[in-house]
Amino acid sequence: MKLTPEMQGLVRHSPLIQAFDDPSYNLLMENASVHKVGEGSYVFRQGDPAEELFICAEGCIKLFRLTPNGDEKIIDIIQHGNSFAEAVLFMGGRYPVHAVALKPSVIVGIDGPQYMGFLRGSSELCVSMMGLMSRRMHWLLNEVDRLTLHNATFRLAAYLLEMYARGGHSTCINLAAPKHVIASRLSIKPETFSRILKRLSESKLIRVGDHSVELLNVEELESLVRVEL
Amino acid sequence: MKLTPEMQGLVRHSPLIQAFDDPSYNLLMENASVHKVGEGSYVFRQGDPAEELFICAEGCIKLFRLTPNGDEKIIDIIQHGNSFAEAVLFMGGRYPVHAVALKPSVIVGIDGPQYMGFLRGSSELCVSMMGLMSRRMHWLLNEVDRLTLHNATFRLAAYLLEMYARGGHSTCINLAAPKHVIASRLSIKPETFSRILKRLSESKLIRVGDHSVELLNVEELESLVRVEL
DNA sequence: CGTGAGTTTGATTCGAATCAATGGAAGTGG
DNA sequence: CCACTTCCATTGATTCGAATCAAACTCACG
């Protein structure tokens, strides 16, 4: 299947790819696969051998882990334009998480060995890749922080402000996924999530829409969160 | 100051260094600094510009973060032979954690820019470095898992078994640090830590010594933990 | 319209944190 | 060598945040 020009632009500028020069990029894309995946279907499963890297060209993908009892913990929600499962190719090469589409999505699969070949051939590409990995690690460190040092309300506030920053500082934040998914991403139960939103509404910090949240008092939210490093 | 031959071997085989060939290694060591640090003194502070990578040649170092209220969360405890603060050089380059010695220690500081220079010059070195970073990321992912999906008893059991595996499957595990440090590493309060140890003792799974824990029933401990991926 | 997934609300439980006190073990100094 | 302080670990009582259980409610969809 083919990508729209818009999607091609997204892929070309994804962090995973942008450091490539045009010839390498073209070679990479010749081997790339494009998949349409329906809502709820798997892109890959935890433990599968990692043969491809993926870029989400449209839609969105949740990465998560499962306990044997079936509880799921959503690690991250990948929006279009972002890549995932990088940094997997280096070790034994199994995906460390499950990936399923949250809505009908289009994803581009990059051949792992070929990608690694390019990396091996250019330390410049490597350095850019390492920068990417390093950023991810910092993010994970912060995540551990948030999980251990802070409570549920704090995590939610921090999440809202992150979305706020990402969305060009518009006070109206569109929730990319159903609330229970966001909740899991924040390691909060849906009931608790709901209660916290209510409390924040009551103290006039936010207004809760159906699939959106409006920030009414960014200042105060920030002061809530700024109480961290 | 000088390193004993033993320490030199430790450094030479640390994951950060081992992929270097001898000439590069020697150049690196010419610029390396060696510090003796007393118990409780800082190697670096969170937010400091990251100019060096460090390898712990002797003793042990705790990496941790602080909340403004002064709570500390220990991210990791670095034993001799291991490196830390890698993967920091790539971004803006500030240390993302504090590092202080848990006991009198000897650490080797590698010049960051020089190290990066070697990386830039060899994609082979890069690939090995990326492997290292990838492993760290997996570890962090597992950490997030443990923190969200599992309770305190589970985390402690998992920790004991990890030490068991690292220590060549000796059932007697030496605690590298005071218990309250281990507790923080596991995101457990000292009181709770103590209670869990007691409960595990009472169910004959472990015997608690002064600075050590003996595993009495590895089987059952593992079955406790094996209930995860 | 139902039907069912997703969300909200309320009552209750539970794990772990907190508060408070005690009990060593390790140093320190007279 | 023995008080004396101090740090660390343990134990008990209590509190608190969030999970769980249970029930209503809402709204998109066939």
Side-chain angles (χ1 to χ4, degrees):
Chain A
M1 95 146 260
K2 292 276 291 174
L3 289 176
T4 66
E6 192 192 348
M7 292 185 199
Q8 283 175 33
L10 232 45
V11 171
R12 186 69 184 96
H13 294 102
S14 82
L16 204 60
I17 297 292
Q18 62 188 0
F20 280 68
D21 58 26
D22 284 326
S24 311
Y25 170 69
N26 290 327
L27 283 170
L28 220 45
M29 293 316 286
E30 274 173 28
N31 269 19
S33 58
V34 180
H35 311 272
K36 260 182 146 75
V37 293
E39 177 172 343
S41 61
Y42 276 83
V43 179
F44 52 76
R45 292 183 147 78
Q46 180 169 353
D48 285 352
E51 285 148 0
E52 287 177 296
L53 306 167
F54 293 101
I55 298 167
C56 178
E58 188 158 292
C60 82
I61 308 287
K62 70 171 172 180
L63 306 182
F64 64 102
R65 293 190 152 197
L66 289 178
T67 48
N69 357 329
D71 299 343
E72 79 173 32
K73 157 64 184 163
I74 294 177
I75 304 290
D76 204 0
I77 299 168
I78 305 293
Q79 308 268 17
H80 62 265
N82 287 106
S83 51
F84 51 107
E86 331 120 16
V88 174
L89 302 169
F90 301 98
M91 298 198 46
R94 309 216 153 237
Y95 296 114
V97 295
H98 297 280
V100 344
L102 283 174
K103 50 180 93 160
S105 304
V106 178
I107 58 168
V108 179
I110 308 278
D111 182 70
Q114 189 187 14
Y115 187 88
M116 276 304 286
F118 281 117
L119 280 192
R120 256 184 258 279
S122 155
S123 54
E124 200 183 318
L125 281 180
C126 287
V127 169
S128 116
M129 180 68 178
M130 288 189 279
L132 190 64
M133 291 170 77
S134 160
R135 221 162 306 142
R136 273 265 198 282
M137 281 178 67
H138 280 239
W139 183 85
L140 274 171
L141 263 183
N142 279 324
E143 198 61 16
V144 170
D145 241 45
R146 280 188 285 263
L147 288 172
T148 55
L149 259 21
H150 303 295
N151 63 19
T153 304
F154 180 97
R155 297 205 296 277
L156 176 47
Y159 179 80
L160 287 177
L161 286 169
E162 193 187 325
M163 293 298 112
Y164 169 70
R166 272 210 219 163
H169 297 266
S170 151
T171 58
C172 189
I173 292 166
N174 243 51
L175 300 179
K179 293 185 182 173
H180 70 272
V181 172
I182 312 278
S184 167
R185 158 72 186 76
L186 297 172
S187 296
I188 301 173
K189 296 289 147 186
E191 297 93 325
T192 307
F193 185 80
S194 174
R195 286 184 233 276
I196 295 176
L197 281 184
K198 196 183 174 193
R199 255 192 290 119
L200 290 179
S201 295
E202 280 165 356
S203 36
K204 307 267 180 247
L205 290 179
I206 61 174
R207 192 203 320 272
V208 182
D210 210 8
H211 285 256
S212 68
V213 172
E214 188 184 352
L215 307 190
L216 296 179
N217 191 337
V218 177
E219 304 289 315
E220 202 161 329
L221 270 179
E222 272 172 347
S223 80
L224 239 182
V225 170
R226 185 148 2 93
V227 186
E228 77 169 331
L229 172 111
Chain B
M1 99 144 256
K2 292 277 293 173
L3 289 176
T4 67
E6 191 191 348
M7 293 185 198
Q8 283 175 35
L10 232 44
V11 171
R12 186 69 184 96
H13 294 102
S14 82
L16 205 59
I17 298 292
Q18 63 188 1
F20 280 67
D21 57 27
D22 282 327
S24 311
Y25 170 69
N26 290 328
L27 282 170
L28 220 46
M29 292 316 285
E30 276 173 27
N31 271 17
S33 58
V34 180
H35 312 270
K36 261 185 147 73
V37 293
E39 177 171 345
S41 61
Y42 276 83
V43 179
F44 52 76
R45 285 164 205 275
Q46 178 169 355
D48 284 354
E51 285 147 0
E52 288 178 295
L53 305 166
F54 293 100
I55 299 166
C56 178
E58 188 156 292
C60 81
I61 308 287
K62 70 171 171 180
L63 306 182
F64 64 101
R65 292 189 153 198
L66 288 178
T67 49
N69 356 329
D71 298 344
E72 79 173 32
K73 157 63 183 165
I74 294 176
I75 304 290
D76 205 0
I77 300 167
I78 305 293
Q79 309 267 18
H80 63 265
N82 286 106
S83 51
F84 51 107
E86 333 122 13
V88 174
L89 303 169
F90 301 98
M91 298 199 47
R94 308 213 154 240
Y95 296 113
V97 295
H98 298 279
V100 345
L102 283 173
K103 51 181 91 161
S105 304
V106 178
I107 59 168
V108 178
I110 308 279
D111 182 69
Q114 188 187 14
Y115 187 88
M116 275 305 285
F118 281 118
L119 279 191
R120 256 185 258 280
S122 156
S123 55
E124 200 182 320
L125 281 180
C126 286
V127 169
S128 117
M129 180 67 178
M130 288 189 281
L132 190 63
M133 290 171 77
S134 159
R135 221 163 306 143
R136 273 265 199 284
M137 281 178 68
H138 280 241
W139 183 86
L140 273 171
L141 263 183
N142 279 325
E143 198 61 17
V144 169
D145 241 46
R146 280 188 285 262
L147 288 171
T148 56
L149 259 21
H150 303 294
N151 62 21
T153 304
F154 181 96
R155 298 205 295 278
L156 176 47
Y159 179 80
L160 287 177
L161 286 169
E162 193 187 324
M163 292 300 111
Y164 170 69
R166 273 210 220 161
H169 297 266
S170 151
T171 58
C172 191
I173 292 166
N174 243 50
L175 300 179
K179 292 185 184 175
H180 70 273
V181 172
I182 312 277
S184 167
R185 158 73 186 77
L186 296 172
S187 295
I188 301 172
K189 296 287 148 187
E191 295 94 326
T192 307
F193 186 82
S194 175
R195 286 182 233 276
I196 295 175
L197 280 184
K198 195 184 177 193
R199 255 192 291 120
L200 290 178
S201 293
E202 279 166 355
S203 37
K204 308 264 180 247
L205 290 179
I206 62 175
R207 191 204 321 271
V208 182
D210 211 7
H211 286 257
S212 66
V213 172
E214 189 184 351
L215 306 189
L216 295 179
N217 191 337
V218 177
E219 304 287 317
E220 201 160 331
L221 269 180
E222 272 171 347
S223 79
L224 240 181
V225 171
R226 185 152 359 95
V227 186
E228 76 168 332
L229 171 107

